[in-house]
Every structure is written in C-alpha cells, then in structure tokens.
Amino acid sequence: MSQAGEATQTPRHAPRTTRSAQTRERIIAAATEVFARSGFHGAKVADIAEQAGIAYGLVYHYFHNKEDILAAIFTERWAQYVTYLHEVGDMDVGFREQMRRLVHFWVEVYRREPDLMTVMINEVTRSYEFLESHDIGTVMVAFEAIEQIIRKARDRGEVASSVDPQLASYVVFGAAEMLLTGYVMGTLRRDEQPAFAGDETQMLEVLLDGLAPRSPT
Amino acid sequence: MSQAGEATQTPRHAPRTTRSAQTRERIIAAATEVFARSGFHGAKVADIAEQAGIAYGLVYHYFHNKEDILAAIFTERWAQYVTYLHEVGDMDVGFREQMRRLVHFWVEVYRREPDLMTVMINEVTRSYEFLESHDIGTVMVAFEAIEQIIRKARDRGEVASSVDPQLASYVVFGAAEMLLTGYVMGTLRRDEQPAFAGDETQMLEVLLDGLAPRSPT
Amino acid sequence: MSQAGEATQTPRHAPRTTRSAQTRERIIAAATEVFARSGFHGAKVADIAEQAGIAYGLVYHYFHNKEDILAAIFTERWAQYVTYLHEVGDMDVGFREQMRRLVHFWVEVYRREPDLMTVMINEVTRSYEFLESHDIGTVMVAFEAIEQIIRKARDRGEVASSVDPQLASYVVFGAAEMLLTGYVMGTLRRDEQPAFAGDETQMLEVLLDGLAPRSPT
Amino acid sequence: MSQAGEATQTPRHAPRTTRSAQTRERIIAAATEVFARSGFHGAKVADIAEQAGIAYGLVYHYFHNKEDILAAIFTERWAQYVTYLHEVGDMDVGFREQMRRLVHFWVEVYRREPDLMTVMINEVTRSYEFLESHDIGTVMVAFEAIEQIIRKARDRGEVASSVDPQLASYVVFGAAEMLLTGYVMGTLRRDEQPAFAGDETQMLEVLLDGLAPRSPT
DNA sequence: GATGAATGAGTCTTCATTCAT
DNA sequence: GATGAATGAAGACTCATTCAT
C-alpha cells in the first residue's frame, strides 16, 4: 500500500504477447466486478483471480499488488470517460444536445459496464486512501469537464446566467450517479430499453428545466 | 457479516448506568470519526477504542462486533434524518419552501457533523455490503419521503406535471449527496458561512428552475 | 493456572455467614453443570455466574480463579465418593452384595448428579492438566478402593483366583462409567425407574458371571 | 462450532499433489499429538503448525478451522475402526474368538497410536461438544456393531440368554475404553509386550466368564 | 507463463481477572 | 457482599504476497 504511487508508475511489464494482454484485460475486468461488489478492502485477490479464471499467483505477474489493479482500472478507464466528456464539450451542437448526449452516455456506460462506474464512484471518487497516493486533480477532471460545458453554455446564453457552473456540475454529476446507483442497487428496476430512454428524458428535463413548472402551466 | 442483521437487532445490553450510556456514546462518536477517516474496512477496532479513550476489549461490552457499531450509527441517526424529511413533507409552506428547507437541512447536517454524513454516504448509502445485510427498505424510506413531497407538489400544480416523482427524487437526492461529497472530499472548499448559503441557493435554483434560462429563451 | 496448587490450598475465605456458604454452594453447583456441558476450557466464568444467578465478579469473592472452582468440586465431592467406596469395602455382606451396592450407588449418583460424575471423569480423572497440578494419587484412590474390594473377595474365594484385581477394577469402573455416559448422552433412554433397576441387574450379571453362559444353562 | 457440520462436509480442497497430501497428513498427525497432549480447547493452532513444521497459516489451506481438524481425525480414522468391528462381526470363528480379536484390536490400536486413541476417547467419544455438532449416529455405529456381535452370539447360544446385548455392548466398550484410558493416563504402566498380552487375557476372562468363580468354588 | 503451496503480519474477538462503586 | 465496567493477554483466522515447481 505504501509503495502505491511507485507501483502505479511502474507497470510490471509490457505485454509481450496477445495472450498476455488478454489475461491482463481479464484481470482488470474481473477486478472491476469484484471491487464493485465488495469494495477494495473487501475484495480478495483470490476472488479476482477466480473471477478471471486464473490462479491467484498469476495476478502478480501482471500487477505489483492489489492497489495496482485499482490504479490500472482508474488510469485506463477513467481516461476514456473524461475523453468523451471533452468530446462532448467540443461538439457544436447546443447545450441541450450536449446534455442529452452526456446523460445518454452515462446511462449507456452504466448499462454496459455498471461495475466500472461503481468502482469509479465508490473507490476512486471517495477514497482518501486512494486519492492521497494519486493526483486528486485527475479525478476532478471529470467534474471540470462538465463544469466547462456548463460555463461555455452559460457564456452562449444557453444556461441561466445566475448558475454557478461548478456547483451545477456537482448537481449534474450527482443526479446522474444516483440514477445509476438506483439501477445497480435494484431500487430502480428497468428491464426494458424504453424505460432507460424514458429516464434519460426525465433526467434531462429536470436538470434543464427544473422541477417547477415553466411558464404558465 | 452474515450475522450482521441479528447483531443489529440485539443490543448487547441495556445501559444500566449513566456512565455506561456515556461510554457507549463515546464509542459511537469515536467510531464515526474513525470510519469517516479510514472507511469501515480500514478502521481498526483498536483505533476506535483509542479514539474513545478506552481499552479495545470494552468495545465488545457494548457491541457484538465492528459491523454492529456501524449498524448502530446508522440505526440511531438515520431515523432522525427520515423523521425530518417527513416533517418537511407535512409542512404547509409550498414546494419551494419545502425544498429550501431540505437543502438547508442537508447542508447544515454536514456542517455540524461532517463525519456522520461521510459515514452515512460512504459506508451506508453507497455500500452494497451494508445494504445487502440490512433492510434496504429502511434506507429507501428517505427516497420515498422526497418522492412523496414531489408527488404532492405536482398534484397541487407546484411541480411540472410531466415530472416523474420517483425519478426526480433520485435527482434531488443525488445532487444533495454529491454536494456533500464535495464537502467531504474537500474538492468544494467552503470555509465561510456565506459560501454554504450560496450553495443552498444555487442548488435550489438548479433543481427548481433547471439549468436552462427561464423567461423567453 | 500455574498457581493452581497454591490456590487450591488457600480457600479465599472461610464462610462467615450462612448466606455466604449458600452462595458458594450455588457457584459449585453451577460450575459443575457448566463444566459438564462445555468442559473446563470451554466453560466461561460468566456462564457459571449466570447459571448461579449472580454477578460474575462475585465468583472471585469465593474462588481465586476458575481452576480453583474445579479443585473445590474435586476436593469436596470426590472425598464423599471415595468414602462410600470404602464403606462398601468394609461391609460384611459378601462380594455379590458389595458389587450390587456399588453398581446401585453409581447409577444412583448419576441419576442424582450426572453432571458431577461427568466433570469428575472428563475434567478430573482424564485431565493431564488437572492431574499434573494435583495429587494423582487422590484420584486413583477410587480405583484402588474397588481394587481392594475385589482383592479381598478373591482372597475369600468369592472372586476367581485368576482375576487380576487391578485390571478388574478398570473393567468394573469402565463398564459403570460407560453405562452412565449412555444415560447422559441420551443414547440409553431410561425414563422409568424399573429400567434403571434392570440395568443394575444386567450389569451385575455381566460383571459377575460374564457373557458366556454358565455351565449347563 | 455451529458450522462445524458444514465444515466437515466440505474439505477445503482435494489434494492436488502428493506434497499437498503429505502436508495434510502431517497436520493431522501433529494435531493428533497436540490434541492428545493438551486437549482440543487447550491446543493452539500455532502449536499444531509448529509440531507439523509448517507456518500456522498453512493449516488454513487444508482445514477451515481447528474444529475441522478434529472432525477430519474422527472422520478418517473412525471409519477404519468401525470397519474392523464389522469384519470381526462377520468372521465365522465363534464368540470367544471374536471377543479375543476385538480386545486385541483395541490394545493394538492403542499401542500403535496412543495419541489417536487418546483423542478419540477424550475429545470425540466423551465430548458433548463434539457429539452435539456431529452425527452422533456415526459414533453409535461402533456400539451397534458390538451389540450385533453379542446378539448373534446369543442367538447361537454362545452368550447367556439372559444378557441384554445393548447393555452388554456398553459394558464391553466401557471396559475396553477404561483400559486404554489407564494406558493413556499412565496409571496402568505397561512397558512390556507380555504385559499387554496379559491384559488382553484378563479382560477377556472377566468379560466372558465374569468375576465370580465358575464351577463349584 | 502458470500454479498453488507456503508464509506471517495484521486484526478481530474472547474471556479470565481486577477493581471502583 | 455484590455488581458489572474496564482491562489486556491470548489466540483464532484472514489474506496479500512470495516463490519453488
């Protein structure tokens, strides 16, 4: 745990073969699932290996330690996530459409990789332990990307001038995350595709237009 | 973890003396602090005892095990929380005012007991582990209380008729929780009272009126 | 455990009042029951106190430690036991009658105090630990008493001359003990008094006349 | 203790290698020795491991917990024991010879594996704790086997018709067990082979022909 | 690369014993 | 005498990590 920073910097080895790379991916996928279910501390390396269908000793061929797996998930998946946020920010499609795509993206990502989001949120976003040994700024980038989208839209007049982009980014992120949490926890049951689409519409409406009725009802 | 439910139901003993009750409170307070700092898994019973200024063995006079302490924190504080949500729901003050009070309540609770909220958020609300071994319904009551507030307001015409109260309750809860998470994480630095007040106003505005500008766009 | 010998020699105090003596008896009775059920190591002082209906701290007013309670059971009860064995040995009633009385005595003692016998056998007679810290000779006296009874009977011609009194005492003691174990374990169900009487007769017959049919049946 | 049954049913894993199987045997042998010396409760897992020449953690690769080791000793040895009893029962050699072999078997087993018998007697046969958490029927099978031997012999006229086979099986088993206990406790010192043989003869005589002199005295 | 046997630091938890009240 | 709060030594058990095969 103490050498976490170092470990993160020093991948155990570069993948030499395709198979090797596949095994590494399998471990990351398995770890994502197990971390999501049990949390970092509650996850056993043996569980991860079992989930990945390999011997537990093999994990240490690919990662220095358990912490290093979490770091890899973070490094290799979070980046994609933030990349998309920036892409959306750079799209010339208007704020409503940007938000629509963001919400859709979240819901889609969750539908495809619910565990990844869970780990990101629970283990990365909240963990002092983790953040202390990594750059908290890297985590914050996601918030800042959304903040930027809102700020620019505000500058264009597509967001109310009174809105504080930073605060608003927390609202947006929080709302999205709680929706996804509802999915994962099973408190929001959505078995059909249309239901997911309906949620996207609803969330979008609430975030953009608020709860209070617009104009003369 | 498997006997957690049982443990929760069976307090080790009724407080016989004032001193006994005080020690129990000391342990709960200390545990709240340590759980907030290190997380449930990362917290050592010995740390909790040290923080409480007692021998670690004494913890087991008052609680069955570590899990039981977390359960006690949850049980004894969450009820107060839900009670307030219901009080707000019963107030005859209009939806905007209800929401104002809710948001203020959340921010205030955090300001007064940041560790408690941290534990609630990180170890209870977000923990599969906890939710799986306890009555998730107890947790959901909070969501339902907000859902009811929104539903009634919609019936009164104070919330747009197109809004789905359940979905909206997730947005509201999620936004509030992420705000507090920002406080907890220190990514939202708020050292001054006015800053907190500003956040409340902002959050209220976004939730009620949305990000999009009102008036004639 | 190390000062067991010392502890045994030094009763914590002489009973000053009748009530005091009664409490001491209650502890001994309770301990006998708990030791029988859980063994010495498995028995908790708290269980003994609860069984006795007193606070666990009070146990230490009457005994130095847990070991001391066992020693007291041994000292104060075993003596009575051996005394009776000697009485039987001194009776001028013939070997068959002596054996009859012995067997009856065992069955009776067990019927009245099965726990006492269980403790004697399991924790005293069979325990290296106990025997190491006490005079094993004291325990052996019971065997020797039976051995003497047999030896004298042999000298009188009432026992086959080929019989080794020492070995025979083990047979007698073992048979009796296993019978009683059957009662306690519930593998030998005896709810009616006649059943017990029947067992005494059977055991006596087998021990005295053997399994093989006597001459012309 | 409550999951003991479950643990017993579920070996931690099947031996994958010869070495693995050897280590498991080493642990069982070491545990037998330590249990015999200190009793189940008094035995430390660390002692067992030290005796086996391994790290204590390794014990938990092979067994779920301490109780599980005792259960394994019982399961894997008792079966052999009962098997032999049945073999003797099926022999067509007459009752006297059957008994002779039984007694010889018991004495031999003790001579070869005194610790094993000590554990069987002290921790298995006598322990409520053990018997409560396991199938007592499995233990009783041994009694029943002897009972059958006696019953059949009675039917053949080789045992007195007045004998109750069940009661008699307790006498036989009890006598044998106490003899072994004498060996175990060291109260019956037998350093020479002839002494053991003498014991067998004596026990056989007492059990078959009884203490009372046969014929006309 | 792969496996899983082996290690032992780290914790939780129990419970005999003490002692203030 | 009586109580039970408090202490802390002792020991069971977990599991990340190493390494021989």
Side-chain angles (χ1 to χ4, degrees), chain C residues 134-179:
Chain C
H134 294 79
D135 183 8
I136 193 171
T138 318
V139 177
M140 295 313 297
V141 167
F143 283 82
E144 286 160 13
I146 297 175
E147 187 181 332
Q148 278 309 315
I149 290 173
I150 296 172
R151 188 182 305 281
K152 286 182 185 166
R154 193 182 60 173
D155 293 346
R156 296 196 305 270
E158 295 181 66
V159 160
S161 59
S162 57
V163 166
D164 169 2
Q166 186 189 29
L167 208 280
S169 71
Y170 279 74
V171 172
V172 170
F173 213 95
E177 202 225 17
M178 190 59 81
L179 174 68

Short mmCIF file of all heavy atoms in Angstrom, two decimals, chain C residues 134-179:
data_model
loop_
_atom_site.label_atom_id
_atom_site.label_comp_id
_atom_site.label_asym_id
_atom_site.label_seq_id
_atom_site.Cartn_x
_atom_site.Cartn_y
_atom_site.Cartn_z
N HIS C 134 -2.31 -31.61 40.58
CA HIS C 134 -2.86 -32.13 41.83
C HIS C 134 -2.27 -33.51 42.09
O HIS C 134 -1.56 -34.06 41.26
CB HIS C 134 -4.38 -32.22 41.75
CG HIS C 134 -5.02 -30.88 41.64
ND1 HIS C 134 -5.07 -30.18 40.46
CD2 HIS C 134 -5.59 -30.09 42.58
CE1 HIS C 134 -5.66 -29.02 40.67
NE2 HIS C 134 -5.98 -28.94 41.94
N ASP C 135 -2.64 -34.04 43.19
CA ASP C 135 -2.12 -35.34 43.54
C ASP C 135 -2.90 -36.42 42.83
O ASP C 135 -4.06 -36.70 43.15
CB ASP C 135 -2.20 -35.54 45.06
CG ASP C 135 -1.58 -36.86 45.46
OD1 ASP C 135 -0.98 -37.51 44.57
OD2 ASP C 135 -1.69 -37.23 46.63
N ILE C 136 -2.26 -37.01 41.84
CA ILE C 136 -2.95 -38.04 41.08
C ILE C 136 -3.37 -39.20 41.98
O ILE C 136 -4.38 -39.86 41.74
CB ILE C 136 -2.06 -38.56 39.92
CG1 ILE C 136 -2.91 -39.37 38.94
CG2 ILE C 136 -0.91 -39.38 40.45
CD1 ILE C 136 -2.16 -39.74 37.69
N GLY C 137 -2.62 -39.36 43.02
CA GLY C 137 -2.94 -40.44 43.95
C GLY C 137 -4.34 -40.29 44.53
O GLY C 137 -5.07 -41.27 44.71
N THR C 138 -4.71 -39.07 44.75
CA THR C 138 -6.03 -38.82 45.31
C THR C 138 -7.12 -39.33 44.37
O THR C 138 -8.17 -39.82 44.79
CB THR C 138 -6.23 -37.30 45.53
OG1 THR C 138 -5.03 -36.76 46.07
CG2 THR C 138 -7.39 -37.05 46.47
N VAL C 139 -6.84 -39.17 43.11
CA VAL C 139 -7.82 -39.63 42.13
C VAL C 139 -7.83 -41.16 42.08
O VAL C 139 -8.89 -41.79 42.04
CB VAL C 139 -7.49 -39.07 40.73
CG1 VAL C 139 -8.48 -39.62 39.71
CG2 VAL C 139 -7.51 -37.56 40.76
N MET C 140 -6.65 -41.68 42.12
CA MET C 140 -6.54 -43.14 41.97
C MET C 140 -7.17 -43.90 43.14
O MET C 140 -7.47 -45.09 43.02
CB MET C 140 -5.08 -43.54 41.84
CG MET C 140 -4.41 -43.02 40.57
SD MET C 140 -5.45 -43.30 39.12
CE MET C 140 -5.50 -45.09 39.10
N VAL C 141 -7.35 -43.22 44.23
CA VAL C 141 -7.91 -43.87 45.40
C VAL C 141 -9.21 -44.60 45.06
O VAL C 141 -9.49 -45.69 45.57
CB VAL C 141 -8.16 -42.84 46.54
CG1 VAL C 141 -9.03 -43.46 47.62
CG2 VAL C 141 -6.83 -42.39 47.12
N ALA C 142 -9.99 -44.01 44.19
CA ALA C 142 -11.26 -44.64 43.83
C ALA C 142 -11.03 -45.99 43.16
O ALA C 142 -11.70 -46.97 43.48
CB ALA C 142 -12.04 -43.71 42.90
N PHE C 143 -10.07 -46.01 42.26
CA PHE C 143 -9.75 -47.28 41.61
C PHE C 143 -9.24 -48.28 42.63
O PHE C 143 -9.60 -49.45 42.62
CB PHE C 143 -8.70 -47.07 40.51
CG PHE C 143 -9.24 -46.47 39.26
CD1 PHE C 143 -9.44 -45.12 39.14
CD2 PHE C 143 -9.57 -47.29 38.18
CE1 PHE C 143 -9.94 -44.56 37.98
CE2 PHE C 143 -10.08 -46.75 37.01
CZ PHE C 143 -10.26 -45.37 36.91
N GLU C 144 -8.40 -47.76 43.49
CA GLU C 144 -7.79 -48.66 44.47
C GLU C 144 -8.82 -49.24 45.43
O GLU C 144 -8.70 -50.40 45.86
CB GLU C 144 -6.70 -47.92 45.25
CG GLU C 144 -5.45 -47.73 44.39
CD GLU C 144 -4.56 -46.61 44.92
OE1 GLU C 144 -4.77 -46.15 46.05
OE2 GLU C 144 -3.65 -46.19 44.16
N ALA C 145 -9.81 -48.43 45.73
CA ALA C 145 -10.85 -48.91 46.64
C ALA C 145 -11.56 -50.12 46.01
O ALA C 145 -11.80 -51.14 46.67
CB ALA C 145 -11.86 -47.81 46.94
N ILE C 146 -11.87 -49.96 44.75
CA ILE C 146 -12.54 -51.07 44.06
C ILE C 146 -11.59 -52.26 43.95
O ILE C 146 -11.97 -53.42 44.14
CB ILE C 146 -13.01 -50.63 42.66
CG1 ILE C 146 -14.05 -49.52 42.82
CG2 ILE C 146 -13.61 -51.81 41.89
CD1 ILE C 146 -14.49 -48.93 41.51
N GLU C 147 -10.36 -51.93 43.65
CA GLU C 147 -9.36 -53.00 43.54
C GLU C 147 -9.29 -53.78 44.85
O GLU C 147 -9.21 -55.02 44.85
CB GLU C 147 -7.99 -52.38 43.21
CG GLU C 147 -6.93 -53.41 42.91
CD GLU C 147 -5.57 -52.76 42.59
OE1 GLU C 147 -5.58 -51.60 42.10
OE2 GLU C 147 -4.55 -53.39 42.86
N GLN C 148 -9.32 -53.06 45.96
CA GLN C 148 -9.26 -53.72 47.27
C GLN C 148 -10.45 -54.61 47.53
O GLN C 148 -10.34 -55.72 48.05
CB GLN C 148 -9.18 -52.66 48.38
CG GLN C 148 -7.78 -52.11 48.62
CD GLN C 148 -6.76 -53.24 48.81
OE1 GLN C 148 -6.99 -54.20 49.53
NE2 GLN C 148 -5.62 -53.12 48.11
N ILE C 149 -11.61 -54.10 47.14
CA ILE C 149 -12.83 -54.89 47.32
C ILE C 149 -12.69 -56.21 46.57
O ILE C 149 -13.00 -57.29 47.09
CB ILE C 149 -14.06 -54.11 46.80
CG1 ILE C 149 -14.35 -52.92 47.75
CG2 ILE C 149 -15.28 -55.01 46.69
CD1 ILE C 149 -15.44 -51.99 47.25
N ILE C 150 -12.21 -56.10 45.35
CA ILE C 150 -12.05 -57.30 44.52
C ILE C 150 -10.98 -58.22 45.10
O ILE C 150 -11.13 -59.44 45.20
CB ILE C 150 -11.72 -56.93 43.06
CG1 ILE C 150 -12.90 -56.15 42.45
CG2 ILE C 150 -11.40 -58.18 42.23
CD1 ILE C 150 -12.60 -55.58 41.07
N ARG C 151 -9.89 -57.57 45.52
CA ARG C 151 -8.79 -58.38 46.05
C ARG C 151 -9.21 -59.18 47.28
O ARG C 151 -8.94 -60.38 47.40
CB ARG C 151 -7.60 -57.47 46.39
CG ARG C 151 -6.33 -58.24 46.76
CD ARG C 151 -5.19 -57.28 47.13
NE ARG C 151 -4.93 -56.30 46.07
CZ ARG C 151 -4.23 -56.57 44.97
NH1 ARG C 151 -3.76 -57.78 44.76
NH2 ARG C 151 -4.03 -55.63 44.08
N LYS C 152 -9.89 -58.48 48.17
CA LYS C 152 -10.33 -59.18 49.38
C LYS C 152 -11.30 -60.30 49.05
O LYS C 152 -11.26 -61.38 49.66
CB LYS C 152 -10.99 -58.18 50.35
CG LYS C 152 -10.01 -57.26 51.05
CD LYS C 152 -10.74 -56.35 52.04
CE LYS C 152 -9.80 -55.33 52.65
NZ LYS C 152 -10.54 -54.26 53.33
N ALA C 153 -12.20 -60.00 48.12
CA ALA C 153 -13.17 -61.03 47.73
C ALA C 153 -12.45 -62.23 47.12
O ALA C 153 -12.83 -63.38 47.33
CB ALA C 153 -14.18 -60.45 46.75
N ARG C 154 -11.40 -61.94 46.39
CA ARG C 154 -10.63 -63.04 45.79
C ARG C 154 -9.99 -63.87 46.89
O ARG C 154 -9.97 -65.11 46.84
CB ARG C 154 -9.55 -62.49 44.85
CG ARG C 154 -8.94 -63.56 43.97
CD ARG C 154 -7.85 -63.02 43.09
NE ARG C 154 -6.75 -62.44 43.86
CZ ARG C 154 -5.60 -62.02 43.32
NH1 ARG C 154 -5.44 -62.08 42.00
NH2 ARG C 154 -4.66 -61.52 44.08
N ASP C 155 -9.49 -63.14 47.89
CA ASP C 155 -8.86 -63.86 48.99
C ASP C 155 -9.88 -64.73 49.72
O ASP C 155 -9.56 -65.80 50.25
CB ASP C 155 -8.25 -62.86 49.99
CG ASP C 155 -7.07 -62.12 49.37
OD1 ASP C 155 -6.59 -62.58 48.29
OD2 ASP C 155 -6.64 -61.09 49.91
N ARG C 156 -11.12 -64.26 49.73
CA ARG C 156 -12.17 -65.03 50.39
C ARG C 156 -12.73 -66.12 49.47
O ARG C 156 -13.62 -66.87 49.85
CB ARG C 156 -13.34 -64.12 50.78
CG ARG C 156 -13.03 -63.04 51.80
CD ARG C 156 -14.32 -62.47 52.40
NE ARG C 156 -15.24 -61.97 51.37
CZ ARG C 156 -15.24 -60.71 50.91
NH1 ARG C 156 -14.36 -59.82 51.37
NH2 ARG C 156 -16.10 -60.35 49.99
N GLY C 157 -12.24 -66.12 48.23
CA GLY C 157 -12.72 -67.14 47.29
C GLY C 157 -14.00 -66.75 46.59
O GLY C 157 -14.62 -67.55 45.90
N GLU C 158 -14.39 -65.48 46.73
CA GLU C 158 -15.63 -65.07 46.08
C GLU C 158 -15.38 -64.51 44.69
O GLU C 158 -16.32 -64.12 43.97
CB GLU C 158 -16.36 -64.04 46.94
CG GLU C 158 -16.82 -64.59 48.27
CD GLU C 158 -17.57 -63.54 49.08
OE1 GLU C 158 -18.66 -63.12 48.65
OE2 GLU C 158 -17.05 -63.11 50.14
N VAL C 159 -14.11 -64.40 44.36
CA VAL C 159 -13.74 -63.96 43.01
C VAL C 159 -12.73 -64.97 42.49
O VAL C 159 -11.89 -65.45 43.26
CB VAL C 159 -13.14 -62.54 43.02
CG1 VAL C 159 -12.32 -62.28 41.77
CG2 VAL C 159 -14.24 -61.50 43.18
N ALA C 160 -12.84 -65.28 41.22
CA ALA C 160 -11.94 -66.28 40.64
C ALA C 160 -10.50 -65.92 40.91
O ALA C 160 -10.09 -64.76 40.81
CB ALA C 160 -12.19 -66.38 39.13
N SER C 161 -9.73 -66.88 41.25
CA SER C 161 -8.34 -66.63 41.64
C SER C 161 -7.49 -66.13 40.49
O SER C 161 -6.45 -65.52 40.69
CB SER C 161 -7.74 -67.92 42.21
OG SER C 161 -7.79 -68.93 41.20
N SER C 162 -7.95 -66.40 39.28
CA SER C 162 -7.18 -65.96 38.12
C SER C 162 -7.34 -64.48 37.83
O SER C 162 -6.62 -63.92 37.01
CB SER C 162 -7.63 -66.76 36.89
OG SER C 162 -9.02 -66.59 36.69
N VAL C 163 -8.28 -63.85 38.48
CA VAL C 163 -8.56 -62.44 38.19
C VAL C 163 -7.50 -61.52 38.79
O VAL C 163 -7.12 -61.66 39.94
CB VAL C 163 -9.95 -62.06 38.73
CG1 VAL C 163 -10.12 -60.54 38.76
CG2 VAL C 163 -11.04 -62.71 37.89
N ASP C 164 -7.06 -60.57 37.95
CA ASP C 164 -6.14 -59.54 38.42
C ASP C 164 -6.98 -58.39 38.97
O ASP C 164 -7.68 -57.71 38.22
CB ASP C 164 -5.29 -59.05 37.23
CG ASP C 164 -4.49 -57.80 37.58
OD1 ASP C 164 -4.56 -57.32 38.73
OD2 ASP C 164 -3.80 -57.29 36.68
N PRO C 165 -6.93 -58.17 40.26
CA PRO C 165 -7.81 -57.16 40.86
C PRO C 165 -7.67 -55.78 40.24
O PRO C 165 -8.66 -55.08 40.03
CB PRO C 165 -7.37 -57.15 42.32
CG PRO C 165 -6.86 -58.52 42.56
CD PRO C 165 -6.14 -58.90 41.28
N GLN C 166 -6.43 -55.38 39.92
CA GLN C 166 -6.27 -54.04 39.35
C GLN C 166 -6.96 -53.95 37.99
O GLN C 166 -7.77 -53.06 37.75
CB GLN C 166 -4.79 -53.67 39.17
CG GLN C 166 -4.63 -52.22 38.71
CD GLN C 166 -3.22 -51.88 38.30
OE1 GLN C 166 -2.46 -52.74 37.84
NE2 GLN C 166 -2.84 -50.62 38.47
N LEU C 167 -6.66 -54.91 37.14
CA LEU C 167 -7.26 -54.89 35.81
C LEU C 167 -8.78 -54.97 35.93
O LEU C 167 -9.52 -54.24 35.25
CB LEU C 167 -6.72 -56.10 35.02
CG LEU C 167 -6.64 -56.02 33.50
CD1 LEU C 167 -8.01 -56.31 32.90
CD2 LEU C 167 -6.14 -54.65 33.02
N ALA C 168 -9.22 -55.80 36.82
CA ALA C 168 -10.66 -55.97 37.01
C ALA C 168 -11.31 -54.67 37.47
O ALA C 168 -12.44 -54.34 37.07
CB ALA C 168 -10.93 -57.07 38.01
N SER C 169 -10.59 -53.91 38.28
CA SER C 169 -11.18 -52.65 38.75
C SER C 169 -11.40 -51.69 37.58
O SER C 169 -12.36 -50.92 37.56
CB SER C 169 -10.28 -52.00 39.81
OG SER C 169 -9.10 -51.48 39.23
N TYR C 170 -10.53 -51.77 36.58
CA TYR C 170 -10.71 -50.93 35.40
C TYR C 170 -11.94 -51.38 34.60
O TYR C 170 -12.69 -50.56 34.08
CB TYR C 170 -9.46 -50.95 34.52
CG TYR C 170 -8.40 -49.98 35.02
CD1 TYR C 170 -7.66 -50.28 36.15
CD2 TYR C 170 -8.17 -48.77 34.37
CE1 TYR C 170 -6.69 -49.39 36.63
CE2 TYR C 170 -7.21 -47.88 34.84
CZ TYR C 170 -6.47 -48.20 35.97
OH TYR C 170 -5.54 -47.34 36.44
N VAL C 171 -12.10 -52.70 34.54
CA VAL C 171 -13.27 -53.22 33.82
C VAL C 171 -14.55 -52.74 34.51
O VAL C 171 -15.46 -52.23 33.87
CB VAL C 171 -13.24 -54.76 33.76
CG1 VAL C 171 -14.56 -55.29 33.20
CG2 VAL C 171 -12.06 -55.23 32.92
N VAL C 172 -14.58 -52.92 35.81
CA VAL C 172 -15.78 -52.54 36.56
C VAL C 172 -16.05 -51.05 36.44
O VAL C 172 -17.16 -50.61 36.13
CB VAL C 172 -15.62 -52.92 38.06
CG1 VAL C 172 -16.74 -52.32 38.89
CG2 VAL C 172 -15.57 -54.44 38.21
N PHE C 173 -15.03 -50.29 36.67
CA PHE C 173 -15.18 -48.83 36.61
C PHE C 173 -15.57 -48.39 35.20
O PHE C 173 -16.44 -47.54 35.02
CB PHE C 173 -13.86 -48.18 37.01
CG PHE C 173 -14.04 -46.88 37.71
CD1 PHE C 173 -14.05 -46.83 39.09
CD2 PHE C 173 -14.20 -45.70 37.00
CE1 PHE C 173 -14.22 -45.62 39.76
CE2 PHE C 173 -14.37 -44.50 37.67
CZ PHE C 173 -14.39 -44.46 39.04
N GLY C 174 -14.92 -48.96 34.23
CA GLY C 174 -15.20 -48.57 32.84
C GLY C 174 -16.61 -48.92 32.42
O GLY C 174 -17.30 -48.13 31.78
N ALA C 175 -17.05 -50.12 32.82
CA ALA C 175 -18.40 -50.54 32.47
C ALA C 175 -19.42 -49.60 33.09
O ALA C 175 -20.35 -49.12 32.43
CB ALA C 175 -18.64 -51.96 32.94
N ALA C 176 -19.19 -49.32 34.36
CA ALA C 176 -20.12 -48.43 35.06
C ALA C 176 -20.13 -47.05 34.41
O ALA C 176 -21.17 -46.46 34.15
CB ALA C 176 -19.71 -48.31 36.52
N GLU C 177 -18.97 -46.57 34.11
CA GLU C 177 -18.88 -45.24 33.56
C GLU C 177 -19.54 -45.16 32.19
O GLU C 177 -20.19 -44.17 31.86
CB GLU C 177 -17.40 -44.82 33.47
CG GLU C 177 -17.22 -43.34 33.42
CD GLU C 177 -16.23 -42.97 32.35
OE1 GLU C 177 -15.95 -43.81 31.48
OE2 GLU C 177 -15.75 -41.84 32.39
N MET C 178 -19.37 -46.17 31.39
CA MET C 178 -19.97 -46.12 30.06
C MET C 178 -21.49 -46.20 30.14
O MET C 178 -22.19 -45.56 29.36
CB MET C 178 -19.42 -47.25 29.18
CG MET C 178 -19.81 -47.13 27.71
SD MET C 178 -19.24 -45.60 26.91
CE MET C 178 -17.53 -46.02 26.55
N LEU C 179 -21.96 -46.96 31.09
CA LEU C 179 -23.40 -47.01 31.29
C LEU C 179 -23.92 -45.60 31.59
O LEU C 179 -24.88 -45.12 30.98
CB LEU C 179 -23.73 -47.94 32.47
CG LEU C 179 -25.19 -47.98 32.90
CD1 LEU C 179 -26.03 -48.64 31.82
CD2 LEU C 179 -25.38 -48.68 34.24
#
